[in-house]
Amino acid sequence: DSDTDALGVACLSSAIKRGMGRWQPLDGKFDWFDLAKACRTEFSAGSFVALLEMHFVPRLKSALSSWDPRNTEPGLVLVEMWRPLLPDRHFQSLMRDSLTPRIRAAAEEWNPRKERVPVHLWVHPWLPFLQDDDHQLWTTIRTKIAACLRHWKPSDSTVRKMVEPWKPVMDPHNWGKLMEVVTERLKIHLESVTVTPGSQSLAELGHVLSWLELAGPSAIADVTVVDFFPTWLSSLRRWLKASPDYNEVVQWYKGWRSFFPP
């Protein structure tokens, strides 16, 4: 009955309070989880939730609030283990008050120039638990990546590898802003490309076209039309004025045409 239930909760609560001081929720041990699971079976729903609120949820929040998101596995094990046991409002509170602020803080601390572990490796595992419209987090990550592009040369493919995982994740606004920074660097790169019939290297233009899937056909077309083709046409005019072998000109033109996607 309710009196017996209340007495049992009071006795257990006292024991939990004495022993929980040594509990480290991120240590991978399941003793306290097993106890909480047993409590759900033994007590009424109201009494079980009261025990969670008094003892378990505060400890979980405290653990996640001091946890380093770069060490993904302990936090992920903890959250996935406790999720089925916690009422939804308590689980959402854990995400909102502890997990999300820690991930945001770690993103603020992230230095892409110095840290070897890509940020997506420790953020993406949390995507099922984060709000889809977490613009604050995406803005932080976008700003950090954009800062790396100030002196970036498109021949450095590591930047594309850093950016690529965020296309399906970032909101359209932040992704668009990031691609604006990329295309600006591509424009500067193309302005320095020379067109030399007979000894042309396509590598420099290839670096630009490698961004086609990420930046989109429209953005890459705009960059090449404005910042490459005037140079290309100027070189062609000079060549034609020099009475060239027109078969060579035709082959040169076909080579360029085949290089661009249809």
Side-chain angles (χ1 to χ4, degrees):
D1 58 23
S2 59
D3 291 339
T4 303
D5 199 54
L7 179 61
V9 168
C11 293
L12 183 59
S13 181
S14 178
I16 289 175
K17 188 175 182 180
R18 289 195 302 271
M20 190 170 273
R22 296 184 297 275
W23 179 36
Q24 300 297 326
L26 292 165
D27 64 5
K29 297 178 181 179
F30 304 142
D31 297 359
W32 288 99
F33 172 77
D34 291 340
L35 175 62
K37 193 173 180 181
C39 289
R40 183 173 63 175
T41 304
E42 295 297 327
F43 297 111
S44 67
S47 296
F48 171 63
V49 169
L51 281 172
L52 288 177
E53 292 175 343
M54 281 190 292
H55 303 294
F56 294 98
V57 172
R59 292 289 298 199
L60 294 175
K61 284 188 173 184
S62 177
L64 286 177
S65 294
S66 59
W67 153 79
D68 183 357
R70 294 170 182 79
N71 187 16
T72 306
E73 187 175 357
L76 200 59
V77 168
L78 178 73
V79 168
E80 289 178 339
M81 179 172 63
W82 282 87
R83 184 175 192 178
L85 203 59
L86 297 177
D88 186 64
R89 65 187 178 91
H90 291 88
F91 182 78
Q92 294 304 325
S93 174
L94 186 65
M95 297 298 98
R96 182 184 63 250
D97 299 337
S98 300
L99 180 75
T100 299
R102 281 304 300 142
I103 293 177
R104 286 176 177 172
E108 290 282 359
E109 297 164 1
W110 173 56
N111 186 336
R113 298 182 185 277
K114 295 182 179 180
E115 296 190 32
R116 294 184 179 182
V117 179
V119 65
H120 73 273
L121 291 183
W122 51 267
V123 172
H124 281 202
W126 296 105
L127 294 179
F129 305 101
L130 296 172
Q131 294 183 358
D132 293 336
D133 60 347
D134 194 344
H135 299 299
Q136 180 178 337
L137 179 59
W138 309 145
T139 298
T140 298
I141 292 172
R142 183 256 299 175
T143 303
K144 296 270 188 171
I145 294 175
C148 290
L149 302 180
R150 289 174 185 161
H151 305 291
W152 166 65
K153 297 183 183 300
S155 58
D156 177 7
S157 63
T158 60
V159 168
R160 185 157 44 87
K161 293 176 182 177
M162 177 170 59
V163 169
E164 189 172 14
W166 295 103
K167 183 175 183 180
V169 175
M170 277 189 182
D171 60 282
H173 172 75
N174 275 300
W175 180 255
K177 288 291 186 182
L178 183 57
M179 287 302 99
E180 286 178 11
V181 178
V182 168
T183 53
E184 184 59 33
R185 293 303 303 172
L186 296 179
K187 286 168 61 72
I188 294 171
H189 172 72
L190 282 178
E191 289 171 358
S192 65
V193 172
T194 58
V195 178
T196 309
S199 60
Q200 184 66 49
S201 170
L202 301 179
E204 297 303 317
L205 188 59
H207 298 320
V208 174
L209 295 182
S210 69
W211 284 88
L212 185 64
E213 184 177 348
L214 293 180
S218 178
I220 297 300
D222 289 345
V223 169
T224 53
V225 166
V226 174
D227 297 286
F228 173 73
F229 278 109
T231 302
W232 185 88
L233 287 170
S234 178
S235 179
L236 177 59
R237 290 192 193 98
R238 289 195 302 270
W239 194 17
L240 292 175
K241 288 180 181 179
S243 301
D245 180 335
Y246 288 101
N247 287 326
E248 290 184 9
V249 174
V250 170
Q251 292 304 313
W252 182 77
Y253 169 78
K254 287 181 177 179
W256 276 110
R257 184 172 183 177
S258 66
F259 187 70
F260 286 90

